[in-house]
Amino acid sequence: LVGSEMCIRDRCDGHQAVITKTWEDSTIAVVYNTSDEAIEVKLTGSAIDSMAIRGYLTLHGEAITLENGVLTMPAQSICIMK
């Protein structure tokens, strides 16, 4: 395994998790919604609040959005941020 990985504790709860991966001076975040419901993840004040959406995977082609520090994710989705 190359680089370092970290779960942002205050953003890992129930059916959501935020994992960061760092290699040299570059960090990405992977945000998971494993529930069957849409969720909102508040990023303000977190280690990834300055990141932007770089890509995502959803079950039915729904959009994942980031507005005013809140990431809105449909059920069973994954978002990559940098």
Side-chain angles (χ1 to χ4, degrees):
L1 194 69
V2 179
S4 63
E5 189 171 296
M6 179 178 86
C7 179
I8 300 176
R9 291 178 194 232
D10 63 341
R11 302 298 186 264
C12 292
D13 183 39
H15 293 285
Q16 73 181 37
V18 178
I19 307 295
T20 61
K21 180 73 174 172
T22 301
W23 168 248
E24 295 180 353
D25 64 346
S26 180
T27 300
I28 65 165
V30 183
V31 185
Y32 299 92
N33 175 11
T34 61
S35 77
D36 291 328
E37 305 292 329
I39 63 168
E40 290 185 343
V41 182
K42 292 175 181 64
L43 303 181
T44 306
S46 74
I48 65 168
D49 66 356
S50 64
M51 292 186 176
I53 295 173
R54 293 296 180 101
Y56 54 81
L57 178 63
T58 61
L59 289 179
H60 304 290
E62 308 99 313
I64 292 179
T65 60
L66 177 61
E67 294 182 26
N68 301 318
V70 178
L71 187 67
T72 302
M73 301 178 68
Q76 304 292 330
S77 59
I78 299 171
C79 183
I80 308 298
M81 302 183 73
K82 183 169 170 89

